[in-house]
Amino acid sequence: MSFSTLKCKIANESRQFNPAWTYKYLFILPPHPNAKPMCLICIECIAVFKDYNVRRNHIEKHQTFHTNFPKGSQERVAKPERATAASLRVSWILAKKKRPFTDSETVKDCMLAVVDEVINDDKIKTSVASAIKNVPLSDTSNIRRVEILAADVYETLLGDLMKADTMSIAVDESTDKTDTAQLCIYVRFFDSKCFREELLCLLPLEGHTTGNIVFGKISIFFKDNGLDMMHVCMLVTDGAPSMTGKVNGLAARWSTVAPQLISLHCIVHQAVLCAKLSGALKTTMDNVMAFIRSTSSLQHRLFCMLLSEMSAEHHDLLLPNDVKWLSKGKALERFCGLKEEIITFLRNSKQKKGRNALDDIFKHLNDLNLALQGRDKTAIDLVEQMCTFPVKLDLFATDLSIGRMLHFPPPRKCISSPAQITDVMTDFIARLKMNFAGRLDGLVLPTEVAIFVRDPFTVAIEGDLSARAKQVVPSIDKGKFSLKLVDMRSSVTMAQELCTNGPAMFWTDVNVHQFPNIKKVAIVMLSMFGSTCESSFSHMNSIISNSRCSLTDRTLHQCLRIALTSYEPKVTSRCQSLFNIMIALIS
């Protein structure tokens, strides 16, 4: 007769935290989900809810605690509190720099080395070195501190969002190095002091990433965190079908919950789509990129040696990338700058015609991309840049047609006759104009209201400004809006403040009680995103690198939040709250 031995799993034992551990071993259970017992002395967490594990941690790591710090002694709490605060600050800096958890131990070794070299007094050196050694900086400690710090800044963010009347959401989806689809959600809002752009959450998507699934995930997140989807005034997406579908797209599903929602295709994405190459220019670009991306390491080394021997201005070519804000124009500019060296190297250059002009037009497109990028760029800023560029294209077309080439310096230097400028570049600029015109027609932002927010002292009050403003904020009174705008325009001081501080700071300082309707419209417009959170994925790939590909989705989320947030953690108050419990226990 045979008997099968079944191994009991910890997860099936339903172990609970024992309150007696708090008084016997100074362990508590943090309030966040899936929390583990945490030591108040070293802030270490125990993986298993067992009395033996908790007791062993207390005896092995803190067996001299009661001897060194008798009951009732304030030093019993002060030294561990300072060590924990130091540990939290180190973990914050490492997470900000997107460094691995194991680097915390390297930091301790570096601090000890510095103390050993800088301090000459042996007594002081021993004291400082002892204090550093008592700072818990293991990789597991670093993980726990990142959890605490991320939770701290997220609580602050949630608190500010609860007070905000409106917010704008940017949604984008990408795949990390482990082939997990990550939905990145950014939020922009006014916190009564300034406009903030923060990472709201990073949601992993298992399986398909349809609009219904994405909307379901976001709905659950909003509900679990006490946020109201009705408060979202704008949704910015990357234009994918799952986001913009008229029936089951994220924007369509969200509009059923918040009818006032304005949906916008990321303006930076649209600018890139406008600049698609075709025909001869695409062939030229492909040939240039093929040379730069040569797969032969030997040829690359030989080319670099030639540049050094010829005392060239640059030592190598730039490697471009198809990601929209990594500049192909810079790569082309470098290529044209090294044209003579490349001709010498290849002995027979192909597809030379048109490269210089292509270099210049891409440089202008790069300048546009740079103007569209960055934090604290509102939808108003981005729309203004997009509206300005077609005017520049008219100048470029005229410049090429008459052969003056003021905006194309390399061709002016290299080409002896304007007839050498073919119709290729003129046709490309004409296509750009058509593409930008078509994209601009799809922008749903009311131009009159955007002009009003940018400069309320010059906008025409007559007409349908108040009606347009009511479309943005349905709750305002159109009559009071117009009357208060007249009062504001009569103030010379406020006009000077606008010129000095700019629109964002100006509207921040406007008295909400004196101009409630006007400020509400301005806050909603300035809270709108113009682009998605694409740059967050660059940070995500830095965090979950090839050597850290085993990070869980939860830990990745916490590391990314710390790396991107503008909030500062309340380290002192966080430590004080933990050690107030300890004081109450040991007194």
Side-chain angles (χ1 to χ4, degrees), residues 235-458:
L235 174 66
V236 182
T237 67
D238 58 1
S242 61
M243 300 291 179
T244 59
K246 294 183 178 180
V247 179
N248 293 322
L250 175 62
R253 293 295 307 277
W254 205 316
S255 296
T256 61
V257 177
Q260 83 287 352
L261 180 75
I262 297 176
S263 178
L264 183 68
H265 181 188
C266 171
I267 295 177
V268 179
H269 283 220
Q270 296 189 63
V272 174
L273 291 174
C274 288
K276 292 293 184 180
L277 288 172
S278 62
L281 290 182
K282 188 177 187 304
T283 302
T284 299
M285 173 62 81
D286 290 343
N287 288 337
V288 172
M289 296 302 111
F291 177 81
I292 296 176
R293 292 172 170 169
S294 174
T295 57
S296 172
S297 300
L298 174 62
Q299 295 300 316
H300 181 218
R301 293 196 301 270
L302 293 176
F303 177 66
C304 292
M305 289 177 60
L306 176 67
L307 293 179
S308 178
E309 293 171 1
M310 297 181 68
S311 301
E313 182 181 359
H314 305 289
H315 301 293
D316 200 354
L317 293 168
L318 295 177
L319 182 65
N321 193 298
D322 286 331
V323 178
K324 54 188 162 297
W325 29 65
L326 298 183
S327 170
K328 282 185 179 178
K330 293 293 183 182
L332 277 171
E333 185 178 1
R334 178 70 61 87
F335 188 93
C336 292
L338 295 172
K339 186 176 69 173
E340 296 301 325
E341 290 81 359
I342 292 172
I343 293 174
T344 302
F345 183 72
L346 294 178
R347 297 180 182 275
N348 184 20
S349 177
K350 298 180 181 180
Q351 294 290 341
K352 294 190 291 294
K353 185 171 64 174
R355 279 180 185 164
N356 288 320
L358 185 60
D359 162 29
D360 276 318
I361 191 61
F362 258 98
K363 183 178 184 303
H364 294 303
L365 288 169
N366 290 336
D367 293 340
L368 173 64
N369 268 333
L370 289 174
L372 297 176
Q373 295 171 40
R375 299 185 68 158
D376 298 324
K377 293 289 180 70
T378 65
I380 300 174
D381 298 324
L382 270 59
V383 170
E384 284 185 353
Q385 292 292 339
M386 287 285 283
C387 292
T388 302
F389 196 72
V391 180
K392 294 181 180 179
L393 290 176
D394 290 332
L395 289 176
F396 300 156
T398 304
D399 202 26
L400 285 174
S401 64
I402 63 177
R404 186 175 51 184
M405 293 180 288
L406 289 176
H407 306 288
F408 301 89
R412 189 172 68 244
K413 297 177 182 177
C414 302
I415 299 175
S416 57
S417 172
Q420 295 183 33
I421 297 293
T422 65
D423 295 334
V424 176
M425 286 304 301
T426 305
D427 179 65
F428 178 54
I429 291 179
R431 288 175 178 271
L432 276 178
K433 289 172 59 179
M434 291 175 58
N435 290 341
F436 271 91
R439 297 283 176 181
L440 289 173
D441 288 342
L443 295 178
V444 294
L445 292 180
T447 307
E448 299 89 342
V449 183
I451 296 173
F452 151 73
V453 173
R454 178 66 71 189
D455 189 355
F457 299 96
T458 58

Side-chain angles (χ1 to χ4, degrees), residues 86 97 104 122 140 185 210 272 299 352 404 407 427 457 472 544 578:
K97 301 296 183 180
S104 56
D122 291 339
T140 53
I185 304 178
T210 63
V272 174
Q299 295 300 316
K352 294 190 291 294
R404 186 175 51 184
H407 306 288
D427 179 65
F457 299 96
V472 177
I544 190 166
L578 291 174

Side-chain angles (χ1 to χ4, degrees), residues 141-159:
S141 298
N142 197 2
I143 294 174
R144 306 304 179 190
R145 277 140 185 77
V146 166
E147 290 180 359
I148 293 171
L149 293 167
D152 182 84
V153 294
Y154 182 58
E155 288 173 7
T156 306
L157 171 61
L158 274 183

Side-chain angles (χ1 to χ4, degrees), residues 25 53-64:
Y25 311 120
N53 296 62
V54 177
R55 183 174 68 254
R56 182 181 64 181
N57 177 275
H58 184 73
I59 293 174
E60 290 183 356
K61 295 187 176 182
H62 313 297
Q63 65 181 84
T64 62

Side-chain angles (χ1 to χ4, degrees), residues 23 26 65 69-74 76-77 579-587:
Y23 297 93
L26 297 176
F65 180 76
F69 306 106
K71 187 175 181 179
S73 171
Q74 291 299 317
R76 191 178 190 188
V77 176
F579 286 95
N580 281 342
I581 302 174
M582 187 186 292
I583 291 174
L585 293 174
I586 66 179
S587 299

